[in-house]
Amino acid sequence: MTSPGFVLFDLDGTLIRPGAPVQRLHMSTMAAAIADVCGTAEEFRYEGGQLFYADIDLAGFTDAGTVHAALRHHGVRAGRLRRLTRQVMDALAARIGGSAADGDAGAGDLLPGCRALLEALRGHGCPLGMSTGNARSVARWKIRRTGLADVLREGGFGDAARDRADEGADGVAALGGGGPGVVVGD
């Protein structure tokens, strides 16, 4: 018998509504983490379904890439970017990990039919995972909050990768690699 192929899902804009409360809380928490390290931060804003930090269009950015771009925007010199990006990412993980907003309070943040699709795929024995630009701590918080923690666990995340291809490869590896598979999302 052939093993079923795997499916990796992006979160924001694929399973989770763009600009949903869980996404807005993620971004306000990131802004606070940037301010923790930088002493200042811009507010993230949504325009026509796109997310911006100052004048930076963040389409396709990972969390690490967003933080890197924000620090550059704030004038952080190249020699300090890697260390300060890691500090902001650690502050983001600590802040999101300390959030009391768990459970399925964010189930309404899901796009219609997502839960049913994931359950159907799982019912056919299809390994499911994430390929998301969200940091691991943020992604796990989002799936707990939206009630998907029982169907999505492993994957590739945007903790250190600034390139979406890197987290996609990590997602494939997390599900055992090899075999047929598909990535759904951006």
Side-chain angles (χ1 to χ4, degrees):
M1 177 175 193
T2 311
S3 172
F6 64 86
V7 182
L8 295 171
F9 288 91
D10 181 40
L11 294 179
D12 301 315
T14 301
L15 298 177
I16 298 173
R17 294 177 193 276
V22 71
Q23 173 64 10
R24 290 181 187 278
L25 186 53
H26 167 202
M27 302 322 298
S28 66
T29 303
M30 183 182 285
I34 291 167
D36 285 349
V37 172
C38 247
T40 187
E42 302 276 337
E43 285 189 31
F44 288 89
R45 72 181 192 290
Y46 292 87
E47 288 181 15
Q50 291 299 112
L51 180 64
F52 290 84
Y53 185 86
D55 62 344
I56 305 164
D57 181 349
L58 298 171
F61 277 53
T62 65
D63 278 359
T66 297
V67 168
H68 185 270
L71 293 175
R72 287 185 56 106
H73 169 77
H74 290 294
V76 172
R77 289 176 283 138
R80 299 181 60 210
L81 277 172
R82 183 181 295 213
R83 182 177 57 80
L84 292 181
T85 297
R86 181 76 260 147
Q87 281 183 286
V88 172
M89 296 302 293
D90 290 346
L92 172 62
R95 283 178 167 274
I96 214 78
S99 173
D102 276 346
D104 64 356
D109 292 344
L110 292 175
L111 287 163
C114 289
R115 175 81 194 181
L117 171 64
L118 294 172
E119 287 176 348
L121 288 168
R122 182 177 64 173
H124 288 290
C126 184
L128 303 174
M130 294 173 274
S131 177
T132 177
N134 288 224
R136 180 183 305 269
S137 59
V138 172
R140 290 199 168 143
W141 171 78
K142 283 182 180 180
I143 64 170
R144 283 192 316 268
R145 182 152 162 85
T146 58
L148 297 178
D150 62 323
V151 291
L152 293 173
R153 291 194 179 97
E154 298 303 322
F157 306 97
D159 293 88
R162 289 189 318 185
D163 187 325
R164 297 286 300 222
D166 292 339
E167 47 100 329
D170 291 345
V172 171
L175 292 182
V182 66
V183 178
V184 179
D186 56 0

